Amino acid sequence: MKFKEKLKEKVEIQREEVTKLLKDYGDVKIGDITIAQVIGGMRGLKVLVTDISYLDPFEGIRYRGYTVDEVLEKLPKPKGAEMPYDEAQFYLLMTGDIPTEEEVREVIDIFKEKRKVPNYVYRVLDSMPREARPDVMLAVAVGTMQQESVFAKAYAENKITKQNAWEYMFEDVLNLLPKIPMIAAYIYRLKYKNNEQIPQNPDLDFGGNFAYMMGIDKPYDDFSRLYFILLSDHESGNVSAHTTHLVASAWADAYYSLAAGINGLSGPLHGGATQEALKWFQELLKKLNKIPTKQELEQFCWDTLNAGQVIPGYGHAVLRKTDPRFVAQLEFGEKHLPDDPLFQLVSLLYEVAPDILTKHGKAKNPWPNCDNITGTIQAYYGVNQYEFYPALFDISRSMGVLSNITWDRGLGYPIERPKSVTIEMLKSISRQDTIKKTWF
Ligand code: HAX
């Protein structure tokens, strides 16, 4: 497999670099820690390492050094498609290189060969309560397949060394990732389309086949490809990526780790924000029964803020400008659904919300993130079942987190185990500070 050979070469080079960094420069300081950071969710602390993506607060995400625009322009596309192959993005995340047509073809073939889901997974899904949330079902499906792990099997047989661990992880990743969109589409039709399933189309790629199995016509295949690329990775500190990495750091296999990451993604401040944003727009339309004027929209924003709620899909823990993943979807919407009332509302909100959030004075970032717009486009194509959105996000994020845990094993990163302190200890440290705090 040329894909694996290339990865092997890169892992070996980087492993040497990491070993040298540790040996020769291990005691070099890269930052200090404040009490505010310890209490405040570790904002801004540089305590994780990944080369797979980097989030610049002002520029947005770069995947392996490439911006969103560059990735969309440079990655190979299926014939006649507007958006690149997701398999090409996976190749980029894994190897750091833009694949040639031949290189991406190899990944497409591997994915097609491995995407058949074992029947017992469908039996488990069929037996779950219909009320179960799609992302819960997806996590259960992934957990159910853990017994297939070649990493876990090799570990039990004492075959794993620090040198070869990544190869078993890689094999698990290649077995698991292509099944994720298949399972998600199955869950969608099980829950919302009377369990009338559409078999996979062996001619189609990752995103194209997902759209096909969902039963949605073009250009939903291109929107799926785009969305899966955009959300695939966002550095290591976000909850889904960090959870997957943390669980894998104890040498759990890809199945356990991804199932944990899927659960990590679910919260309304992370993967749940897409649904909150669409709900917010729909409530507004329902209340006014028409597209609001600018003034009416401003008032609705203030009502939300004055009620102590957030404007969903605005703000970010790291970003300090408009999320380029929002812009890419906005451009898609301008081309394919410019007359859709909800889409018009998204555009209008972009004109008014940043000023309002700035005047409100709380959010450090008054600009939109990707979650503000996704639900609107999904709903336009008929995917208006809010609770399915985290599962869609999971398909995409799986590409990044599974690439990361392969590299974690490749570079021999150890189990993650930060130190905690007590509040008493923090008080005592602050007493030693020369600036005495009044409450002591
Ligand atoms: N509307 C109103 N207030 C907001 C806000 C928004 N969109 N974004 C932040 N704030 C408020 C915070 O609630 C916080 O208020 P308190 O001091 O009263 O607690 C204050 O501004 C400071 O927050 P921050 O430092 O700017 O933001 P955080 O790093 O704490 O949180 C969040 C980042 C994304 C969670 C936050 O901006 C938010 O809740 N946004 C709305 C939900 C959302 O869009 N989430 C998706 C984020 C992208 C993502 O991870 N997708 O998966």
Side-chain angles (χ1 to χ4, degrees), residues 40 43 231 234 238-240 265 267-274 276-277 304-305 308-318 320 323 325 357 360-367 369-372 393 397:
R43 286 294 183 293
L231 279 283
H234 220 221
N238 66 79
V239 177
S240 49
L265 189 135
L269 301 189
H270 185 29
T274 305
E276 297 303 319
T304 301
L305 294 171
Q309 289 159 7
V310 294
I311 299 185
Y314 275 74
H316 201 272
V318 179
R320 295 295 175 259
D323 188 340
R325 302 170 305 168
L357 280 168
H360 183 243
K362 272 191 170 183
K364 293 191 188 68
N365 178 37
W367 301 104
N369 62 62
C370 59
D371 295 327
N372 187 257
F393 194 162
R397 187 50 53 93

Side-chain angles (χ1 to χ4, degrees), residues 185-337:
Y186 182 88
I187 292 170
Y188 181 78
R189 297 201 62 91
L190 172 68
K191 274 184 74 80
Y192 310 115
K193 300 287 167 188
N194 262 338
N195 199 12
E196 286 159 16
Q197 298 294 338
I198 301 173
Q200 63 152 316
N201 181 337
D203 295 332
L204 294 173
D205 56 297
F206 191 94
N209 184 54
F210 172 73
Y212 179 84
M213 288 182 68
M214 290 285 284
I216 305 173
D217 290 340
K218 284 175 184 297
Y220 188 68
D221 56 344
D222 267 327
F223 184 63
S224 299
R225 290 185 190 103
L226 170 68
Y227 177 73
F228 295 155
I229 286 174
L230 293 178
L231 279 283
S232 58
D233 209 43
H234 220 221
E235 274 192 0
S236 282
N238 66 79
V239 177
S240 49
H242 192 190
T243 308
T244 313
H245 161 80
L246 176 64
V247 174
S249 84
W251 281 38
D253 58 57
Y255 297 84
Y256 275 121
S257 307
L258 183 64
I262 289 171
N263 289 318
L265 189 135
S266 63
L269 301 189
H270 185 29
T274 305
Q275 101 179 37
E276 297 303 319
L278 181 61
K279 264 196 216 162
W280 190 87
F281 286 126
Q282 288 182 331
E283 266 163 36
L284 170 59
L285 278 185
K286 200 168 150 203
K287 189 172 166 196
L288 299 180
N289 210 13
K290 65 175 181 83
I291 300 270
T293 62
K294 230 175 177 178
Q295 287 70 23
E296 286 166 336
L297 185 55
E298 280 169 357
Q299 190 53 52
F300 196 75
C301 288
W302 280 115
D303 291 347
T304 301
L305 294 171
N306 292 336
Q309 289 159 7
V310 294
I311 299 185
Y314 275 74
H316 201 272
V318 179
L319 269 173
R320 295 295 175 259
K321 68 155 244 181
T322 299
D323 188 340
R325 302 170 305 168
F326 172 88
V327 177
Q329 293 181 82
L330 191 71
E331 286 169 2
F332 185 94
E334 277 161 358
K335 182 164 177 199
H336 293 285
L337 46 140

Side-chain angles (χ1 to χ4, degrees), residues 40 59 68 73 108 144 156 165 172 272 278 311 343 367 433:
E59 194 187 51
V68 167
E73 191 214 310
I108 293 167
T144 305
D172 273 352
L278 181 61
I311 299 185
F343 179 73
W367 301 104
D433 199 283

Side-chain angles (χ1 to χ4, degrees), residues 35 38-39 420-432 439-440:
I35 288 179
V38 172
I39 295 176
S420 53
V421 291
T422 64
I423 293 175
E424 267 316 311
M425 287 172 188
L426 290 182
K427 283 162 73 178
S428 157
I429 292 166
S430 69
R431 265 189 226 111
Q432 291 156 21
W439 63 295
F440 286 117

Side-chain angles (χ1 to χ4, degrees), residues 21 36 55 93 127 158-159 196 246 334 387 389 405 420:
L21 269 175
L55 180 55
L93 297 179
S127 68
N158 291 323
K159 284 186 187 158
E196 286 159 16
L246 176 64
E334 277 161 358
E387 53 171 28
Y389 295 164
I405 59 175
S420 53

